[in-house]
Amino acid sequence: MKLHIPVCFLVGLVLSCNQTKEAKNTVLDSLSVSALSGQALAHIHCASCHSFVSPETLSKPIWENDVLPAMGNRLGIFNGEHQPDSIFGSFRNASIVKKANVFPEKPMLAREDWTKIVSYYVDNAPDTILPPKRITTIKKGLRHFKYTEASFVNGPPLTAMVKILPDKRGLVFSDSKRNRNRLTFLTPNLEKEGDFPFANTPIQYHENADTVYLTTIGKNVFPNDLSDGALQKFRLDEIVKNSTAGKMLIPKLQRPVNMAYGDLNRDGFEDVVACEYGDLTGKLSWHENLGDGTYTAHILKSKPGAIKAIIKDYNADGHNDIFVLMAQGDEGLFYFQNSGNGVFEEKRLLSFSPLNGSQYFELADFNGDGFDDILYVCGDNADKTPILKAYHGVYIFLNDGKLNFEQSYFYHQNGAYKALPRDYDMDGDLDIATISFFPDYTNSPEESFVYLENKGNSNFDAYTFAESTKGRWIVMDAGDIDGDGDIDLALGSFVQFLAKGDTTGLSKKWLTDSPSVILLENTLR
């Protein structure tokens, strides 16, 4: 989650555009004023960090009160002469952010030029932006899924991970309450098998043979820049009995949200790619397995926002490559081609607006041409622009075989968070199960879960289940929980605080009635 969790958490103060000339000159007496227009300056300064965002994409109040002040802080422009302490976070967090120079002490442009940029956005932005209207209907009822709630609830749920276990062993999920992190195992019938405390929040559970690799994000899932995350190793028979039996493999990870596993230098050992999402700082790194239980870190990208990685030998040259989705400002999908021995060349495959709130992707062949296409999900809406957005949802980009991608499908889903492409109805093509953490509570709360049934030629019919609003779904996994050969779904709910913008009463109900996890059991077999 970005919260997976991902969540961007820029902190800014409202910029006063009416400061006196004396105050301006006190701060910026050494910077010359440009002759360029506000529009030209915006393309230079704003688009230097991320894709250009045009004024009409957000309303005037959002630009003026939230986004522009935060942008100004990134350019060394503050409401006053000095950086306010509030933008750095906690004491521990502040030292990291200050060292990274996220907020420059000195302005990077004259205040008069910044005022031009502010005026360009405010003058050209609409007063309000109407919420998008749903074009397609979400049909009620899943023909071949049975809804079941787990009787055990860690309430109110703050579920941070759910994983369906193989071999009919049930599922495992974590809860991220401050100082009360838990890892819970359920049987295939969703009865509690084990429930253990953890100092940090488990965010990813990965099995390989008789070994479990457990990633923890930190003290809790909320945004920070601290290196409190870690990768631990457990024996499969130990973890269901003793949460302290793990061996530390990689400590001091900077708020990791996803790990990928594979041999990147052909030495026979499984390496790890860590998406150290961070918040204002962060990085993408691969950790070389030295074969003796230790790892050496190699940084691939020194930016925050790495949210999902896939290791695959895409070009079939015998070397595993890496695909990575980056969020948090400069959003896009990147391909790191392995030229041998863990040396990588970076290529940007797709670019996205920083308003997208990129959340998830998978590689899957949707048109049967033998090439990996991209399923992309965007919808994080916890930042400074929490309005419903017509471009949030699920995308399919088709691959021409040369890593050139063209959009072939889009399903609008407000606040989309994750989508899993699988052949759920067993008819030979890929359907999509998708969840939203920020649905349209007033007009379409059922979009919190949507099942997109593939009808061919990039056409999908949308369905949901009657109980879709019983939780606020933030995590999801697909797997065969009962060993009958079809694919089931598990969803986890995250509801400890009221949802912003919810006037329906759902949030209050969730605080007392939401399950931690639910199962959608596929009944085809």
Side-chain angles (χ1 to χ4, degrees), residues 1 11 48 76 194 199 258 271 286 290 296 329 333 362 382 437 449 463 512 519:
M1 4 169 161
V11 180
S48 65
N258 176 258
D271 307 305
W286 77 275
L290 301 182
T296 296
L333 195 77
E362 283 204 13
F437 191 62
F449 173 88
Y463 299 87
T512 56
L519 180 69

Side-chain angles (χ1 to χ4, degrees), residues 75 78 216 282 288 308 383 414:
L75 294 170
F78 307 103
T216 54
E288 181 182 357
K308 171 72 188 293
D383 302 335
N414 293 295

Side-chain angles (χ1 to χ4, degrees), residues 299-335:
I299 295 178
L300 293 168
K301 203 171 182 66
S302 296
K303 285 187 176 182
I307 195 166
K308 171 72 188 293
I310 295 175
I311 295 176
K312 183 172 185 176
D313 181 7
Y314 175 79
N315 54 6
D317 65 353
H319 303 286
N320 274 326
D321 311 304
I322 307 170
F323 292 81
V324 176
L325 178 62
M326 299 290 298
Q328 205 75 339
D330 186 17
E331 303 196 8
L333 195 77
F334 296 82
Y335 171 62

Side-chain angles (χ1 to χ4, degrees), residues 216-285:
T216 54
I217 191 172
K219 301 297 182 184
N220 56 69
V221 299
F222 296 103
N224 64 74
D225 297 282
L226 305 176
S227 296
D228 290 338
L231 177 66
Q232 292 175 267
K233 176 182 177 181
F234 292 81
R235 281 209 329 255
L236 186 59
D237 60 349
E238 288 178 330
I239 193 168
V240 296
K241 301 175 183 177
N242 183 2
S243 63
T244 65
K247 175 186 177 182
M248 182 66 67
L249 292 182
I250 307 176
K252 298 182 179 180
L253 293 171
Q254 192 174 11
R255 195 166 173 256
V257 298
N258 176 258
M259 311 287 260
Y261 299 85
D263 186 357
L264 295 173
N265 55 0
R266 298 183 67 180
D267 62 357
F269 301 121
E270 187 176 67
D271 307 305
V272 183
V273 173
C275 293
E276 298 182 68
Y277 191 98
D279 182 28
L280 299 174
T281 66
K283 54 187 173 293
L284 173 72
S285 55

Side-chain angles (χ1 to χ4, degrees), residues 2-14:
K2 274 190 255 185
L3 204 135
H4 277 10
I5 298 171
V7 174
C8 177
F9 198 69
L10 297 178
V11 180
L13 299 178
V14 176

